[in-house]
Amino acid sequence: MTATARTTGTKAQRDHVRQTLAGFGATPATIAAELQRRFGLRPRDAFRQAHGWTQEAVAERLNNSGNGSASFTGARISDYERWPFGGRRPTLAALNALAQLFGTEPNSLVDLEDLAAMPESDRRILGSANTSPLSNRTTAAQPIPPRNNMTEPLRWDLGALLDETELVITVAERTASFGAWAQASNVGPFTLDDIAASTRRIALDYLTEPPVVVYARAGLLADRVFQLLQTGRQNPDQARDLYTWAGYLCALLAWMAGDLGHPAAAESQARTAWMCAEMVRDNTLRAWVLSTISKIHLWERRFEDAANAAARGFSHAIEGTAAVMLACQEADAWAEIGAAEPARQALRRAEEARQDAGNDSVGGLLACSVVRQHNYAGAVLLRIGEAANAIEHADHALAEAAADPSVAYGTLAQIRIWAASAHLNANSLDGAISMLSPVLTLPPEQRLDPLVHRLRDLGRTMASTPSLRASTEARRLQAAITDFCATGAAHQLP
């Protein structure tokens, strides 16, 4: 093969391009592409210079990392970069080791001239490897699986070997290839941190942002975790963490799907969340999944099942505020069927759990703040006939929320709805209107299905109350409730 004339520029020119692009935040892959375009560098040379390394530095890093033979030298790296216009052909194991060092794929380190000069077997293996660009810099490059060449007997052309060192290196690179495959992971050093931070952000953002948008973000992140688990390899600790975050994301999706009026989807996502919790034997995750399941049963009016799921979850809750949440949910379920004493007992357990509550691993939607606890307690007390105590909880909750802008708009709306019911029970239409006014102005995308159901129930109660049917103000309030219920968040889904 005849070499193509190349203008490689001076070292100062190449360094200037690299430093300028790096200053703009460009990745090494982007810098390498520009060096290839501007100066006609070969791919392996371009990636090395994109990192600003000498050939000796690359050899030293390879030897220290154990990716390949312990006999790499600067001269050997030079040979690999010059081939096929001189030097020597890099083996697949060498390409793999270089790709891992440079943070790219092995087939990014070869061009047309390399492929044309390669044996057909090498081209076939490279062609079967994943050629898609890295989606982000935290994902580790995948080594070439050895199954395609490790199943065949080792062969070499003795006449092509320069010396015994070449023979030793060839065998060493083969064994290193298998070792690299066996310990490979598609989870980079920052991937899990990024997934954890993104999950926590989604759980927090759901309290204040449009639910359909946050649901979509959670779905995309969950899909990313599923893809990592299904298409790659991880060490056991990394796999456990991925299943844990997959479980939390599915629990979040189930809760959100219910809020958007899709209980069947919520049940499916909750089942997957429970499967993940069982696989990793994580009690805190089990507790939050059972919290989600309890809420699903409550939506379906399976009140005893909701109470039992919450009680099961309480037995698993050992960290954060999960125990507070589950005790509140159990009380809520018992109150729905008029079981006053079990409801009171559950509220007392929630108060006791609050004393020992620590930090939550996810937070946001998967946490029980003091305001959220007041919301459950007040609603429970109202249903078991203690309206005055319920209004007291509403006042405490709204005072706490005034100093905390992160409190969920859905929680505040629920508090105002049942507090309005308590005011109506006390024959205070003005108090009910005052409580409901902020709720009725929520934008359509925040009119969650539970709020629609609660307001619809309140409207029916008002319609069946003779004294309210004769009130012009009550009829205006009912009309506003009807309009709210007709434009719920579920209607915002595409």
Side-chain angles (χ1 to χ4, degrees):
M1 179 176 290
T2 303
T4 303
R6 298 175 184 275
T7 303
T8 59
T10 65
K11 182 179 185 301
Q13 289 172 326
R14 297 193 298 273
D15 286 346
H16 175 72
V17 170
R18 173 176 56 80
Q19 292 164 2
T20 301
L21 285 174
F24 292 150
T27 64
T30 300
I31 298 172
E34 179 63 18
L35 291 173
Q36 288 179 263
R37 185 192 69 81
R38 186 179 294 258
F39 300 115
L41 299 185
R42 306 302 309 292
R44 297 176 289 284
D45 188 6
F47 267 92
R48 173 178 61 79
Q49 297 205 38
H51 285 81
W53 295 336
T54 65
Q55 292 165 340
E56 289 74 17
V58 169
E60 182 179 358
R61 282 173 165 81
L62 288 173
N63 294 335
N64 290 339
S65 70
N67 284 334
S69 165
S71 301
F72 279 120
T73 64
R76 179 169 292 276
I77 300 303
S78 175
D79 283 343
Y80 288 161
E81 290 179 359
R82 289 186 293 118
W83 188 84
F85 307 113
R88 67 183 69 184
R89 176 172 59 86
T91 63
L92 292 179
L95 286 173
N96 183 55
L98 287 167
Q100 291 192 61
L101 181 65
F102 295 150
T104 188
E105 301 289 343
N107 29 21
S108 296
L109 298 181
V110 296
D111 59 13
L112 176 62
E113 291 155 333
D114 292 316
L115 292 170
M118 275 183 180
E120 174 61 28
S121 59
D122 283 10
R123 283 199 298 271
R124 186 169 59 252
I125 293 171
L126 278 174
S128 68
N130 178 21
T131 59
S132 61
L134 295 178
S135 58
N136 62 65
R137 298 175 65 187
T138 65
T139 302
Q142 287 294 291
I144 300 172
R147 61 182 180 278
N148 293 323
N149 57 337
M150 296 297 288
T151 57
E152 299 178 359
L154 180 63
R155 299 185 179 91
W156 55 76
D157 181 357
L158 289 177
L161 297 176
L162 300 181
D163 51 32
E164 72 278 1
T165 300
E166 182 79 11
L167 171 62
V168 171
I169 289 174
T170 300
V171 176
E173 287 179 346
R174 181 178 173 84
T175 58
S177 176
F178 175 77
W181 175 83
Q183 67 179 357
S185 171
N186 62 341
V187 177
F190 305 112
T191 304
L192 288 168
D193 288 344
D194 181 59
I195 290 170
S198 297
T199 302
R200 294 185 180 107
R201 173 52 56 188
I202 284 168
L204 187 62
D205 287 349
Y206 187 71
L207 305 183
T208 56
E209 296 187 8
V212 174
V213 174
V214 182
Y215 182 86
R217 285 170 49 201
L220 289 172
L221 182 59
D223 188 65
R224 177 186 171 196
V225 177
F226 300 155
Q227 289 292 320
L228 287 170
L229 284 166
Q230 291 175 313
T231 62
R233 293 166 57 86
Q234 307 88 33
N235 68 46
D237 288 342
Q238 291 171 332
R240 175 186 172 83
D241 286 345
L242 285 174
Y243 274 108
T244 299
W245 290 113
Y248 277 119
L249 284 165
C250 286
L252 288 167
L253 286 167
W255 197 288
M256 296 176 193
D259 281 349
L260 292 168
H262 294 270
E267 286 189 27
S268 174
Q269 289 155 345
R271 283 193 294 271
T272 302
W274 181 254
M275 178 273 294
C276 292
E278 287 294 283
M279 288 191 69
V280 297
R281 301 180 183 276
D282 187 312
N283 276 330
T284 302
L285 176 55
R286 282 172 172 147
W288 281 112
V289 175
L290 284 165
S291 171
T292 304
I293 291 171
S294 177
K295 184 179 181 184
I296 292 170
H297 289 333
L298 196 74
W299 293 327
E300 297 171 334
R301 304 188 67 79
R302 295 163 53 188
F303 300 123
E304 289 191 19
D305 288 341
N308 291 333
R312 279 182 63 203
F314 188 88
S315 69
H316 289 295
I318 56 175
E319 294 179 0
T321 60
V324 181
M325 183 70 178
L326 287 152
C328 286
Q329 288 179 287
E330 185 184 352
D332 197 34
W334 289 128
E336 286 283 2
I337 56 177
E341 189 51 38
R344 290 190 187 94
Q345 291 175 2
L347 287 181
R348 286 195 288 271
R349 284 197 298 276
E351 284 292 338
E352 292 167 1
R354 174 63 67 186
Q355 306 308 311
D356 300 323
N359 295 325
D360 291 287
S361 57
V362 177
L365 184 58
L366 299 185
C368 189
S369 65
V370 172
V371 173
R372 204 172 188 183
Q373 185 178 356
H374 278 306
N375 175 36
Y376 276 104
V380 167
L381 292 172
L382 177 63
R383 286 199 296 276
I384 63 176
E386 300 181 24
N389 289 337
I391 291 175
E392 184 177 342
H393 276 282
D395 291 340
H396 283 305
L398 295 175
E400 289 267 356
D404 185 0
S406 68
V407 174
Y409 64 87
T411 298
L412 289 176
Q414 289 180 33
I415 293 168
R416 289 183 173 278
I417 292 168
W418 58 253
S421 295
H423 280 290
L424 289 177
N425 288 348
N427 297 317
S428 174
L429 178 59
D430 289 343
I433 292 172
S434 176
M435 278 291 174
L436 288 179
S437 293
V439 178
L440 297 173
T441 60
L442 283 174
E445 64 270 16
Q446 293 185 343
R447 298 179 181 184
L448 303 176
D449 207 51
L451 304 183
V452 170
H453 283 291
R454 284 175 171 83
L455 274 175
R456 190 174 286 134
D457 289 343
L458 179 59
R460 288 176 183 142
T461 299
M462 293 179 65
S464 64
T465 304
S467 61
L468 295 176
R469 286 201 300 268
S471 167
T472 301
E473 288 185 328
R475 287 199 298 273
R476 288 198 190 104
L477 182 58
Q478 282 183 271
I481 290 173
T482 300
D483 179 69
F484 183 101
C485 294
T487 55
H491 296 288
Q492 308 304 308
L493 286 171

